[in-house]
Amino acid sequence: MHLCKVAVETVKYDRILTPETIWDHIKVEPESMPAVKEFDNPNGLIVLGAHFGNWEISGTACSIMFKPLLSIMRPMNNPKISDYVLRKRQTFGQKLTDQKSALRKLISTLRSGNPVALLCDQHAGRREGVVVDYFGHPARTHTSAAAMSLKTKAPIVIGVVRRIDDNFNFEFVWLGPFSLEPTGNKEKDILDLTQMY
């Protein structure tokens, strides 16, 4: 049922969530403000999302409400659906980059003081991740956000859009910021920062 709602919302959101109406549909609670203020960080900002709530709305909402994001996109298996979703994501200024050539663009965007976005909730392969504790269970997690943060001094925040009702009303839930002063032990720093988020 949730995935059906995500699909319908994804088809309709660019007609309902416009720069003029978005603040009527998406609430940001006061306790989220420490994370939201990081959009003005001169070192840029790493925004981590997850497949929670409506992840398609998250990027568009960030780009309208705060600052346009550069997001990584993995092309979908169906080229027509992939093209459709790509166009939707770019409607209100969100920029996209293919994951295969993303690192240089992400670092450059951060160094220019702008935000980048990654989904961080998928299993990482042996060469790509570290094992962290996730609610008492070992979870192999991607380290790219932690590595970029340590390299650029960009803080990390987590932002997800939670559905409040079935009338296109949502809440933007923010956590963070997360950062770590490098100790000189790169592997441990990456592991510790990954465990934080």
Side-chain angles (χ1 to χ4, degrees):
M1 189 171 217
H2 170 68
L3 290 176
C4 288
K5 289 178 182 180
V6 168
V8 170
E9 290 164 354
T10 299
V11 169
K12 296 175 70 174
Y13 76 75
D14 58 337
R15 285 172 276 164
I16 296 171
L17 304 177
T18 66
E20 296 76 30
T21 64
I22 198 158
W23 290 95
D24 297 329
H25 290 279
I26 300 181
K27 305 297 178 216
V28 179
E29 296 301 323
E31 54 268 19
S32 292
M33 294 324 279
V36 169
K37 286 179 182 175
E38 294 297 331
F39 275 92
D40 293 327
N41 193 300
N43 295 317
L45 179 65
I46 300 166
V47 178
L48 298 182
H51 292 94
F52 175 89
N54 191 318
W55 56 94
E56 288 298 333
I57 288 175
S58 295
T60 294
C62 264
S63 295
I64 295 173
M65 298 169 85
F66 308 113
K67 221 174 191 182
L69 297 172
L70 172 66
S71 303
I72 294 180
M73 180 178 181
R74 181 185 68 80
M76 298 175 185
N77 295 338
N78 182 315
K80 288 185 179 182
I81 293 175
S82 190
D83 289 345
Y84 176 78
V85 171
L86 178 73
R87 282 193 314 275
K88 293 286 262 190
R89 288 178 180 170
Q90 296 179 96
T91 303
F92 295 111
Q94 183 178 5
K95 298 174 185 79
L96 301 169
T97 185
D98 188 283
Q99 68 181 18
K100 292 178 184 166
S101 59
L103 188 58
R104 186 171 289 165
K105 274 188 184 172
L106 293 171
I107 297 289
S108 170
T109 300
L110 290 170
R111 288 195 168 140
S112 66
N114 290 302
V116 301
L118 312 160
L119 288 174
C120 68
D121 62 339
Q122 294 179 310
H123 177 73
R126 287 180 187 258
R127 285 181 270 146
E128 300 167 350
V130 293
V131 176
V132 294
D133 177 71
Y134 184 69
F135 295 105
H137 298 279
R140 186 166 286 281
T141 305
H142 289 278
T143 59
S144 50
M148 283 192 300
S149 176
L150 291 164
K151 184 176 182 75
T152 65
K153 296 188 177 355
I156 298 169
V157 297
I158 297 171
V160 293
V161 169
R162 183 178 72 83
R163 185 182 302 106
I164 295 173
D165 60 31
D166 291 332
N167 295 317
F168 252 86
N169 292 305
F170 302 90
E171 176 186 22
F172 226 140
V173 179
W174 291 94
L175 299 171
F178 303 96
S179 60
L180 186 74
E181 196 61 41
T183 66
N185 183 340
K186 185 177 176 182
E187 286 184 14
K188 184 176 184 320
D189 290 345
I190 288 174
L191 175 63
D192 289 348
L193 187 50
T194 304
Q195 180 64 65
M196 277 184 196
Y197 62 74

